[in-house]
Amino acid sequence: EEAAEDEEKPTYSVATDNNYVPFEFIDQETDKLIGFDIDLINAIADEAGFDIEIEQMEFSGIVSAIPSGRFDIGIAGMTITEEREENIDFSQPYYDAGLILAVLDGNEEISSIDDVDGMTVATRVGSTSEDYLQENTDANVEAFPEITEAYRSVLTERTDAVLYDKPNVEYYAETEAGGELVTVGDLLQGEQYGIAFPKDSELRDEVDEAIDSLKESGKFDEIYTKWFGE
Ligand code: ARG
């Protein structure tokens, strides 16, 4: 009986990244893909009654693959921007983020974004942080293929600072960096994450409704607390 039910469920392809703590990353112990986005998309699929097949790829690849229709859904801590909205339909916002600057502990030269002109600032290629640095500062921007390389470049003093999404910087600072990486200055640009769909996808409304239900049932909060605390 259950097998018959399963067969009727549609399966949708989901594009995500695996290098973005705590939204999607590989668990060192189990080698499995875990994180807030992964729990959320699984809960949404359960709620809406579809199956998912997750494919891992590099973040900027997701931003370009979604418009082409190669995947039904993209979830990767992707900021909703006007530019992306030209080619991508987004779900309702599901996470409030924003950009924050971080430096090596003890750095006395940089205490805010106003101090980065002429300095080398690391970030991830194709991110809203890369755009922010190009548009708002005279820093030398070093955009790495993976954000962990950007963090390491600051820890090894190859670059002076890193700009990236606050939840990712904070999580990395507390875990991997063990106190060596510290955030400085204010949140620079408020951003909201949305789940991405090809333009005019009919799935978008279904996913939005599922998010509403998860919020009403308390399941959304449960997942949020699991990854971000109270
Ligand atoms: N929020 C930023 C953006 O949308 C960075 C997202 C990075 N996400 C990832 N899975 N690597 O550009």
Side-chain angles (χ1 to χ4, degrees):
E1 270 233 63
E2 241 176 57
E5 239 176 64
D6 276 355
E7 274 168 39
E8 285 158 33
K9 274 196 197 175
T11 299
Y12 297 120
S13 54
V14 176
T16 190
D17 180 23
N18 59 22
N19 192 253
Y20 192 60
V21 290
F23 294 89
E24 45 268 343
F25 63 106
I26 303 290
D27 181 17
Q28 307 280 351
E29 269 153 41
T30 64
D31 226 29
K32 284 212 171 105
L33 183 68
I34 59 168
F36 177 76
D37 282 347
I38 307 307
D39 284 351
L40 181 61
I41 196 64
N42 274 300
I44 288 170
D46 273 354
E47 183 66 38
F50 57 77
D51 285 325
I52 53 172
E53 218 161 59
I54 293 185
E55 200 166 314
Q56 299 167 37
M57 70 203 65
E58 181 256 320
F59 177 72
S60 35
I62 304 169
V63 182
S64 52
I66 290 296
S68 76
R70 207 149 66 78
F71 297 94
D72 301 306
I73 301 171
I75 186 164
M78 195 186 293
T79 302
I80 302 170
T81 67
E82 270 178 34
E83 195 189 339
R84 288 175 183 161
E85 278 181 319
E86 286 172 19
N87 305 305
I88 292 174
D89 276 352
F90 284 99
S91 70
Q92 59 174 298
Y94 70 89
Y95 188 90
D96 290 328
L99 309 181
I100 195 91
L101 194 68
V103 296
L104 187 66
D105 190 27
N107 181 324
E108 276 167 14
E109 289 182 313
I110 302 177
S111 55
S112 85
I113 196 75
D114 299 328
D115 302 325
V116 301
D117 291 353
M119 303 266 177
T120 303
V121 182
T123 188
R124 190 188 187 297
V125 70
S127 64
T128 48
S129 293
E130 187 184 11
D131 293 340
Y132 184 94
L133 288 165
Q134 306 284 15
E135 284 160 23
N136 301 289
T137 74
D138 287 315
N140 309 312
V141 182
E142 262 205 55
F144 290 84
E146 294 294 357
I147 195 60
T148 40
E149 295 168 44
Y151 293 138
R152 265 183 239 123
S153 75
V154 175
L155 296 174
T156 56
E157 296 182 73
R158 281 187 291 127
T159 60
D160 301 302
V162 56
L163 182 73
Y164 211 46
D165 297 51
K166 188 169 181 232
N168 183 257
V169 176
E170 286 182 339
Y171 199 92
Y172 187 89
E174 282 166 25
T175 54
E176 297 284 310
E180 284 294 289
L181 191 73
V182 294
T183 61
V184 288
D186 301 325
L187 189 74
L188 291 173
Q189 166 167 283
E191 297 189 349
Q192 290 185 309
Y193 294 166
I195 299 172
F197 304 90
K199 275 275 172 210
D200 302 320
S201 159
E202 282 169 14
L203 254 181
R204 194 246 305 247
D205 289 348
E206 236 181 282
V207 165
D208 271 344
E209 274 170 35
I211 295 174
D212 286 341
S213 307
L214 295 172
K215 287 197 165 166
E216 274 161 33
S217 70
K219 180 78 190 163
F220 185 94
D221 284 348
E222 197 183 290
I223 298 172
Y224 188 97
T225 308
K226 171 177 167 192
W227 293 104
F228 302 104
E230 297 298 326

